[in-house]
Amino acid sequence: MPEGHSVHRLARQFNDVFGGAPLAVSSPQGKFAAGASLIDGLELERAEAHGKQMFLYFSQDRVMRVHLGLYGAWDFGGDSTFTGASSIGAPRRIGEQEVGGADASASPAANAGGRREYTGPPEPQGAVRVRLVSPHGWADLRGPTACEVISPAESAAVRRKLGPDPLNNAPGDAEEFSRRIRKSSTPTALQLMKQDVLAGVGNVYRAEVLFRLGLDPMLPGKSLQPDEAAALWNDIALIMADGVRDGRIITTELADRPSGVGAEVGHGQSRLVRPGSEPAAAVRKRNANKDVPVEEAHYVYKREGLPCRHCGTEVAMKDLGGRKLYWCPGCQAG
DNA sequence: GCCCTATGTTAAA
DNA sequence: TTAACCTAGGGCT
């Protein structure tokens, strides 16, 4: 599943390739036929991400709200002016990254068998809920949890219910997050998944950030110190910004990768970082980590039974609220 | 082919 | 707390 970083990349891509353009909207699968007819032919004014939701603001006060859920994904294609990833959304294998990238200038179908002119979208493959077509390219959506056309007022209401998004990081957001997570005695690991506490974090980022800060996942939100809440916010913003840049979730520091591939994720240390103590230079010099081997990308997520990269203790896993929680009992003891 | 899994959310019980 | 839902891929028979 796409966590917030994927949705922000999507919004960016929609703005880049479809922004300001009239779009032909259809539902090859049929489940979105009514919604498609409401926005077919309208201009996409802008795309915005808030947590895991994307809002496409069309002309005539129509908003398309999309939530990918566990399985949703977008595929893209187009002519030579059409750039960016060719697929963003649900990964099908552990650590899978986006398909395409720099050479995604044409549809896979149009490219098959050699370089050819772009001749329009391919025949829909599988269950395509929505297809958007501009003069220069197309986008197919499949498997979303939510996909609807609503009014600006309705979209504002949805967004009001969401917590602050570290990838938007507006003034006061960090304090708002701290206030919300410290309000309840619910375990921190559960709070980080609640979209009204913090919008955009999912099962990978929550496990990884708790490890990076050496925090016990079961620690009640109430017992978090203000500086610990601030450190959570800062580190989440840092590693998710990396996710936006890389199109992949890479949370390990360079020093923790035997291959030596990639650059530092951020502050170069994995223990609790006091607010304001992060070396700015280390942040600035961050480079793309997209070539980091899959098996070196995470500290604890899906590493149960394997030795912790820091202390060698076997990484643990248990079910918490219906999702799998991964942590190191050595580094994150209570 | 069948079963399991998945970075998620919602509604019913 | 459980089930349902959305879809595709991998491993198995």
Side-chain angles (χ1 to χ4, degrees):
Chain A
M1 161 267 77
E3 300 195 24
H5 68 296
S6 299
V7 185
H8 278 259
R9 283 175 66 84
L10 275 170
R12 189 171 74 187
Q13 176 139 331
F14 271 90
N15 281 319
D16 286 350
V17 305
F18 288 140
L23 298 180
V25 185
S26 60
S27 178
Q29 172 207 51
K31 282 191 183 176
F32 187 66
S37 69
L38 292 174
I39 51 177
D40 184 29
L42 299 185
E43 177 191 331
L44 176 65
E45 294 177 342
R46 70 187 187 283
E48 290 181 17
H50 191 147
K52 299 170 188 170
Q53 313 215 23
M54 181 170 69
F55 300 86
L56 298 179
Y57 294 90
F58 284 88
S59 52
Q60 294 183 22
D61 281 347
R62 300 266 161 88
V63 184
M64 179 177 169
R65 179 179 77 92
V66 177
H67 193 306
L68 294 176
L70 259 183
Y71 322 110
W74 286 93
D75 294 316
F76 298 91
D79 66 19
S80 59
T81 70
F82 203 92
T83 57
S86 66
S87 181
I88 301 179
R92 303 301 179 191
R93 294 181 298 281
I94 299 169
E96 179 176 344
Q97 55 191 52
E98 290 164 12
V99 179
D103 58 0
S105 56
S107 75
N111 257 351
R115 180 169 292 279
R116 275 185 230 161
E117 285 295 304
Y118 170 65
T119 54
E123 277 300 301
Q125 301 288 313
V128 176
R129 182 77 59 87
V130 185
R131 167 167 283 185
L132 306 178
V133 182
S134 81
H136 295 289
W138 54 270
D140 281 353
L141 169 65
R142 59 193 75 225
T145 279
C147 176
E148 61 176 356
V149 175
I150 56 180
S151 70
E154 289 169 321
S155 71
V158 169
R159 299 183 65 163
R160 268 196 301 276
K161 289 178 189 160
L162 295 171
D165 181 340
L167 289 174
N168 292 333
N169 218 345
D173 277 357
E175 294 71 23
E176 182 62 17
F177 163 71
S178 178
R179 195 183 67 75
R180 293 190 186 200
I181 197 170
R182 297 176 62 232
K183 198 164 73 174
S184 146
S185 57
T186 300
T188 303
L190 283 173
Q191 303 250 49
L192 292 177
M193 300 276 285
K194 294 185 65 170
Q195 299 301 298
D196 55 351
V197 169
L198 173 68
V201 165
N203 205 18
V204 180
Y205 280 123
R206 71 109 172 239
E208 293 296 303
V209 74
L210 287 169
F211 176 88
R212 285 168 57 88
L213 299 188
L215 290 174
D216 178 356
M218 290 302 126
L219 201 63
K222 242 176 201 163
S223 66
L224 283 174
Q225 298 303 308
D227 66 336
E228 290 175 319
L232 271 171
W233 175 267
N234 289 337
D235 201 46
I236 289 168
L238 192 69
I239 58 182
M240 290 190 76
D242 278 358
V244 173
R245 182 198 58 203
D246 297 332
R248 255 182 92 186
I249 302 179
I250 311 282
T251 58
T252 49
E253 298 296 332
L254 179 57
D256 293 321
R257 294 180 212 133
S259 70
V261 170
E264 292 183 32
V265 165
H267 40 65
Q269 59 185 68
S270 304
R271 307 305 300 182
L272 183 62
V273 179
R274 300 291 167 191
S277 70
E278 183 182 305
V283 178
R284 277 198 298 277
K285 78 173 186 181
R286 287 183 292 138
N287 296 310
N289 280 326
K290 63 188 172 76
D291 294 326
V292 170
V294 171
E295 63 274 15
E296 297 182 358
H298 308 136
Y299 284 110
V300 291
Y301 179 73
K302 283 209 168 153
R303 293 197 69 242
E304 74 271 29
L306 295 173
C308 169
R309 302 189 193 281
H310 283 174
C311 76
T313 302
E314 278 193 12
V315 172
M317 186 274 283
K318 72 172 177 179
D319 198 275
L320 179 68
R323 306 301 298 279
K324 287 179 175 175
L325 171 69
Y326 302 84
W327 81 103
C328 169
C331 295
Q332 300 170 262

